Amino acid sequence: NAGVTQTPKFQVLKTGQSMTLQCAQDMNHNSMYWYRQDPGMGLRLIYYSASEGTTDKGEVPNGYNVSRLNKREFSLRLESAAPSQTSVYFCASSEAGSTNQPQHFGDGTRLSIL
Amino acid sequence: RKEVEQDPGPFNVPEGATVAFNCTYSNSASQSFFWYRQDCRKEPKLLMSVYSSGNEDGRFTAQLNRASQYISLLIRDSKLSDSATYLCVWGGTGGFKTIFGAGTRLFVKA
């Protein structure tokens, strides 16, 4: 009964390093999302994938890239990490291709960039 | 004005109390709203979906007031385990722009 699984759970990077956050869901959902959450702010959408084979920018896409590898997996890449990208990152998925369906979240990746 | 605004709290209430949170939104063209709860350092978890005027699930009631553009969450007979941050979500107009409020913090004390 995994739901949405994110790896890693924690990561510390140096400025300029790159890394990929992994996300997989086993609920056969069509849509997947990447958010970041900063203190005092709501979750902000970075990128989303409406369905396998498509990706689109959200509210704060700069500095990130994504890949929808297949229906289950949606990865987020930081090409050159910056301290401003220190945050908690959540992956989510939803059944249908619209925001009328609730999203189900993974347990997050806590990323610190020094 | 933020698109979704919530009173950050914290709300400190005794066990057994009734507490209500409001959430206001600026864009009236949404067909769906959601309430999530988020425990400290955990992921948001869906509490309730609201597609019409409201919804009720046990001790939790959500009311949607489209004329005044707010949605409320009422918690009756508060439990210690209700202590969490409650996130209001504007579900959008059928696209993918979901907007999360920053959350309302609730502490239930014995």
Side-chain angles (χ1 to χ4, degrees), chain A residues 46-76:
Chain A
I46 304 171
Y47 271 92
Y48 65 91
S49 172
S51 60
E52 187 178 355
T54 69
T55 61
D56 282 287
K57 296 178 180 179
E59 181 185 354
V60 288
N62 291 345
Y64 306 95
N65 285 301
V66 290
S67 295
R68 183 74 183 266
L69 304 170
N70 47 55
K71 190 171 185 180
R72 291 186 63 248
E73 299 173 286
F74 188 38
S75 63
L76 178 72

Side-chain angles (χ1 to χ4, degrees), chain B residues 55-71:
Chain B
N55 198 358
E56 185 172 332
D57 183 4
R59 297 182 295 108
F60 299 85
T61 301
Q63 291 282 352
L64 175 60
N65 186 319
R66 290 191 183 273
S68 301
Q69 295 186 208
Y70 73 85
I71 183 167

Side-chain angles (χ1 to χ4, degrees), chain B residues 36-52:
Chain B
Y36 285 75
R37 73 169 277 163
Q38 186 174 25
D39 294 293
C40 188
R41 301 181 67 80
K42 299 287 188 180
E43 74 275 23
K45 292 184 178 178
L46 180 68
L47 182 65
M48 193 172 295
S49 303
V50 183
Y51 297 107
S52 57

Side-chain angles (χ1 to χ4, degrees), chain A residues 10 31 33 35 37 40-43 45 48-50 90 94 96-108 110, chain B residues 2 31-32 34 36 38 40-46 49 51 87 91-102:
Chain A
F10 303 93
S31 303
Y33 313 81
Y35 292 90
Q37 186 175 37
M41 302 183 73
L43 288 151
L45 183 64
Y48 65 91
S49 172
F90 289 102
S94 65
S98 82
T99 52
N100 285 330
Q101 298 294 324
Q103 296 173 25
H104 301 266
F105 287 83
D107 55 6
R110 283 156 184 78
Chain B
K2 291 181 181 177
Q31 301 164 28
S32 58
F34 307 95
Y36 285 75
Q38 186 174 25
C40 188
R41 301 181 67 80
K42 299 287 188 180
E43 74 275 23
K45 292 184 178 178
L46 180 68
S49 303
Y51 297 107
L87 307 178
T93 57
F96 292 87
K97 187 183 178 186
T98 298
I99 302 174
F100 284 76

Side-chain angles (χ1 to χ4, degrees), chain B:
Chain B
R1 181 185 174 187
K2 291 181 181 177
E3 293 178 278
V4 175
E5 288 199 82
Q6 295 184 251
D7 182 342
F11 286 68
N12 293 287
V13 302
E15 257 187 308
T18 295
V19 62
F21 313 133
N22 274 350
C23 168
T24 59
Y25 56 92
S26 59
N27 187 331
S28 61
S30 178
Q31 301 164 28
S32 58
F33 297 84
F34 307 95
W35 282 102
Y36 285 75
R37 73 169 277 163
Q38 186 174 25
D39 294 293
C40 188
R41 301 181 67 80
K42 299 287 188 180
E43 74 275 23
K45 292 184 178 178
L46 180 68
L47 182 65
M48 193 172 295
S49 303
V50 183
Y51 297 107
S52 57
S53 60
N55 198 358
E56 185 172 332
D57 183 4
R59 297 182 295 108
F60 299 85
T61 301
Q63 291 282 352
L64 175 60
N65 186 319
R66 290 191 183 273
S68 301
Q69 295 186 208
Y70 73 85
I71 183 167
S72 63
L73 179 67
L74 181 78
I75 305 175
R76 291 181 296 275
D77 188 23
S78 298
K79 312 290 185 191
L80 294 175
S81 58
D82 293 334
S83 297
T85 296
Y86 290 84
L87 307 178
C88 169
V89 182
W90 180 90
T93 57
F96 292 87
K97 187 183 178 186
T98 298
I99 302 174
F100 284 76
T104 297
R105 197 92 183 268
L106 172 66
F107 292 103
V108 181
K109 301 172 294 184

